[in-house]
Amino acid sequence: MRILGFESSCDETAVAVVDGGHQVRASVVQSQDELHETYGGVVPEIAGRAHAERIGTIVDRALAEAKTSFDEINAVAVAHRPGLIGSVLVGVAAAKSVAWRLGVPLVGVHHVEAHLWSGLLEDSVPSWPALGLVVSGGHTSLYRVDAPFQCTVLGRTIDDAVGEAYDKAAALLGLGWPGGVRVDQAAQQGNDSVYNFPMPNLKDRPLDFSFSGLKTALRYGVLGLPGTTTRKPEELSMEERNDAAASFQKAAVRTLIRGLRRARKQHPDVQSLLVGGGVSANSRLRDELESFAQDESLTLRIPPMKWCVDNAAMVAGLACVRLQEEGPASLSLAASPR
Ligand code: KG4
Ligand code: ZN
């Protein structure tokens, strides 16, 4: 089964060709970082337009890289929710057009659930049930996964996603955009004990997360309290930036691992741990996930760097199972922001 996958839910335009759910023949991802950099965040209108302008060329590149043609495509998959609606719509329209023109099945998958498949590309399916953790710029969600399409949400962020907190931390520290990777690099040079940032606990909601307080603590701790003489990000020394980034990263990663530890206690039958999303590229999170999985005797599936960020290979991969188990979607498949 050769599937052509589309992903356009935020600011990456991506098309992939995947065989049998796991074998990635091509994965083309065009980032829009340069279009949004001056705004310090994704501008939905610019993102939607850029997807529309670029997607046709990216399909051609993916087919060429996969050394295949439309005639050999057996199904078309698209992440049809959630995301910026103007962006998701571009992928959905493109996928529907190709599926209709080729007369092959169309499959819609949930973008966040697809992130959990990214660690299974070029690898085997682990034993179920699993815990799933998706950490990205838009989502921080903890799942119990009984099978690829049986994902139950155990917890999620009640405010900022962890990636969003990283991006805001980068802005506060004058590190620029995109933020996550820059905070990660700065943190590797810093001392994580200089600042004691909080790990918020939500009363009666042990598996939910909150990251907006961490960002505020960083602002007050490093730039000063409102009403006092506050500093500007550009006034910070390199050492202060690195120490603040390291202390922030320690609190953010420990909060995620604490959530996993609590979920593990509530679900002692889980065998595996699936992790995905842009923040799964984080060096400290990867190290701590390895240790956690080892301590808990869980099989860890975490994607290589190239599949941590949004990509279409994870969409085409998961779609293969969905098609086998649930059949195709209709051509009236709706794009949805949620
Ligand atoms: O999954 P993704 O590409 O897009 C969304 O669906 O949101 O994730 C992007 C997020 C951004 O917030 C980015 O700052 C963060 O992932 N990110 C990182 C790292 N690399 C990317 N955060 C922390 N450490 C990193 N190394
Ligand atoms: Zn994503």
Side-chain angles (χ1 to χ4, degrees):
M1 172 69 62
R2 178 163 296 173
I3 299 190
L4 181 70
F6 287 85
E7 159 58 47
S8 66
S9 57
C10 189
D11 62 337
E12 263 96 22
T13 319
V15 178
V17 179
V18 177
D19 285 352
H22 296 275
Q23 196 195 334
V24 183
R25 294 187 66 94
S27 173
V28 180
V29 181
Q30 189 167 4
S31 144
Q32 299 180 3
D33 284 349
E34 80 288 359
L35 300 181
H36 304 287
E37 191 170 7
T38 43
Y39 305 97
V42 178
V43 184
E45 171 67 18
I46 294 175
R49 274 171 195 260
H51 286 307
E53 283 162 9
R54 298 171 174 191
I55 204 154
T57 321
I58 295 177
V59 171
D60 292 341
R61 275 175 58 196
L63 291 173
E65 205 174 284
K67 298 192 174 35
T68 190
S69 64
F70 280 125
D71 301 343
E72 294 177 328
I73 298 298
N74 306 117
V76 178
V78 60
H80 69 116
R81 69 193 183 105
L84 301 171
I85 191 63
S87 293
V88 185
L89 270 168
V90 176
V92 169
K96 283 181 180 178
S97 318
V98 175
W100 174 75
R101 176 67 182 79
L102 299 180
V104 299
L106 174 71
V107 191
V109 303
H110 191 284
H111 171 91
V112 185
E113 293 177 8
H115 270 299
L116 294 176
W117 193 267
S118 57
L120 277 53
L121 293 167
E122 308 288 3
D123 208 335
S124 58
V125 174
S127 307
W128 309 111
L131 286 178
L133 177 69
V134 178
V135 279
S136 71
H139 306 275
T140 306
S141 304
L142 195 50
Y143 294 91
R144 177 189 165 95
V145 187
D146 284 286
F149 280 102
Q150 285 172 33
C151 294
T152 311
V153 177
L154 301 177
R156 55 162 62 109
T157 180
I158 61 159
D159 42 53
D160 292 352
V162 62
E164 189 180 353
Y166 263 95
D167 292 331
K168 289 176 178 169
L172 288 170
L173 296 175
L175 293 169
W177 166 270
V181 67
R182 298 188 189 194
V183 172
D184 191 1
Q185 284 160 355
Q188 289 173 40
Q189 314 298 320
N191 176 350
D192 68 8
S193 305
V194 171
Y195 299 91
N196 190 15
F197 293 133
M199 290 172 47
N201 238 329
L202 299 168
K203 199 166 172 282
D204 303 327
R205 298 168 72 176
L207 301 184
D208 282 333
F209 301 99
S210 166
F211 288 102
S212 72
L214 174 56
K215 167 202 70 195
T216 309
L218 176 75
R219 178 195 293 272
Y220 293 169
V222 179
L223 301 179
L225 290 167
T228 65
T229 320
T230 51
R231 300 163 76 200
K232 295 199 170 66
E234 53 274 22
E235 291 166 21
L236 299 174
S237 71
M238 188 68 87
E239 193 180 350
E240 284 173 308
R241 281 189 185 135
N242 293 346
D243 291 344
S247 307
F248 168 90
Q249 178 146 292
K250 176 166 83 174
V253 168
R254 290 206 170 156
T255 302
L256 294 170
I257 300 288
R258 183 183 64 187
L260 281 172
R261 196 169 291 117
R262 289 174 176 170
R264 169 67 166 150
K265 276 214 179 79
Q266 289 186 16
H267 298 265
D269 58 330
V270 297
Q271 312 283 314
S272 313
L273 172 59
L274 315 181
V275 185
V279 184
S280 60
N282 185 266
S283 57
R284 181 163 187 158
L285 180 61
R286 293 176 85 88
D287 287 348
E288 298 211 11
L289 284 168
E290 295 270 1
S291 311
F292 170 76
Q294 204 166 3
D295 291 348
E296 298 289 336
S297 306
L298 296 171
T299 306
L300 176 63
R301 288 282 193 276
I302 185 164
M305 296 302 191
K306 60 183 170 180
W307 294 321
C308 287
V309 291
D310 287 348
N311 66 83
M314 64 186 194
V315 173
L318 182 58
C320 189
V321 192
R322 168 150 238 168
L323 186 59
Q324 277 155 12
E325 292 188 5
E326 300 183 348
S330 95
L331 280 177
S332 62
L333 178 76
S336 165
R338 290 174 201 290

